[in-house]
Amino acid sequence: MSVQRATVLVGIDGSPDSDRALGWAADEAARLGMSLRIVHVAETATLDVAGRGAGEVSEALAEAGDRILQDGRGLALHRRPGLAVETTLVHDRNVPAGLRRYAGEAAEVVIGHRGRGGFTGLLLGSTALRVAGRFPGPVVVVRGPVDGTADEVVVGLDLVEDPAPALDHAFAAAAAREARLRALHAWRPAPLAAEAGVDVRTTGDTRRSHLSTVLAPWRDRHPGVKVAEDVVIGHPVEALATASAHADLVVVGSRGRRFPLGSVGHGVIHYARRPVAVVRPYD
């Protein structure tokens, strides 16, 4: 039996980056006709505070969490009046563990790229790294501006891994936005390929043909989505980060169970200029 997922889940901590993620999630829920669940995780690992009892600290964390949730609810409803919003305070050992409780019920999980307590110079927080690619379904790491007028969704494809999770999400996202979908495959010739007699142009043509074949079933299912096929020579992270500047969303797949977030996904969520969805199959 399939699970009906009609909620966008966003984790917040009251930081500016989390507020930006909340705004994006509210827009996404409204766009998809879904409800919004706002979750704040009070980390039980912080209960061991010298000089203060665990009960006292737990109560303080709960009070602070309630304030963060109420502020978040107000922000979401100010941005999207009439949106169905639910707030949830979770006590768990850390943020990823708390969010995981509800991730399987959500159509998407949304987080900011950095939260409270992180070093300002870091490009990506530890929570984003521990969540992206490790939860079932799409996890959106919100980076950059969320109020732009970009009319393109970019999906990165390596033509080796199963493309279905990423393409399912990318086509649905493009359709919901009435945006063009840009399917991007970046590749690099092997060192000394030319010296070995490899015809780079022919190899590129072969990859373009493969990309068209991969996309064909999704084109048939989504005839209203305009698709641009793009095969470039270069590093995939650099190509996707560059493409992100003109996109509303970048979509990449997850490597699987053993290696949930590959080097390309890791690099893209570090350097993309817009929100990135890392999509893992549902369990």
Side-chain angles (χ1 to χ4, degrees):
M1 180 185 299
S2 62
V3 177
Q4 182 67 33
R5 299 179 177 92
T7 299
V8 174
L9 185 156
V10 58
I12 67 170
D13 63 7
S15 67
D17 283 322
S18 117
D19 286 348
R20 194 156 37 245
L22 174 58
W24 191 93
D27 289 346
E28 182 77 344
R31 182 185 296 119
L32 298 176
M34 296 183 175
S35 62
L36 178 68
R37 168 175 268 169
I38 307 173
V39 175
H40 173 74
V41 181
E43 297 182 274
T44 56
T46 63
L47 295 181
D48 186 15
V49 179
R52 300 185 68 182
E56 181 183 358
V57 176
S58 179
E59 183 178 350
L61 288 175
E63 291 177 357
D66 284 337
R67 288 195 298 271
I68 289 171
L69 287 171
Q70 290 309 307
D71 289 346
R73 177 183 175 84
L75 188 156
L77 289 175
H78 176 76
R79 188 179 183 96
R80 290 289 181 173
L83 183 66
V85 179
E86 177 184 357
T87 60
T88 304
L89 177 65
V90 181
H91 291 269
D92 214 316
R93 63 185 185 278
N94 56 46
V95 175
L99 294 179
R100 184 177 290 277
R101 296 190 192 186
Y102 301 98
E105 305 170 9
E108 301 178 24
V109 176
V110 182
I111 54 174
H113 76 283
R114 278 193 301 111
R116 289 192 183 277
F119 293 104
T120 303
L122 291 178
L123 293 175
L124 196 69
S126 61
T127 295
L129 283 174
R130 287 186 289 168
V131 170
R134 289 167 170 79
F135 281 17
V139 172
V140 181
V141 180
V142 176
R143 301 186 57 92
V146 297
D147 296 313
T149 57
D151 57 357
E152 182 173 83
V153 172
V154 174
V155 58
L157 299 170
D158 68 2
L159 304 183
V160 175
E161 302 290 334
D162 178 12
L167 285 178
D168 285 345
H169 187 69
F171 269 89
R177 290 164 171 76
E178 298 183 350
R180 180 178 74 164
L181 178 64
R182 181 180 178 190
L184 176 62
H185 170 66
W187 69 286
R188 294 178 294 173
L192 304 180
E195 289 82 347
V198 175
D199 188 330
V200 174
R201 177 174 296 180
T202 299
T203 302
D205 290 342
T206 300
R207 289 174 179 267
R208 276 185 281 274
S209 177
H210 189 184
L211 178 61
S212 294
T213 300
V214 167
L215 291 171
W218 280 269
R219 281 180 175 272
D220 291 342
R221 289 197 291 269
H222 300 271
V225 175
K226 295 181 179 179
V227 181
E229 300 179 15
D230 200 357
V231 175
V232 301
I233 294 178
H235 194 288
V237 171
E238 182 179 3
L240 288 167
T242 299
S244 72
H246 307 289
D248 189 62
L249 179 70
V250 177
V251 181
V252 295
S254 171
R255 301 258 327 186
R257 293 180 182 275
R258 187 174 179 186
F259 301 104
L261 185 61
S263 60
V264 172
H266 187 279
V268 172
I269 61 175
H270 265 85
Y271 296 109
R273 305 177 198 178
R274 293 295 180 117
V276 178
V278 180
V279 189
R280 170 182 162 180
Y282 286 104
D283 296 331

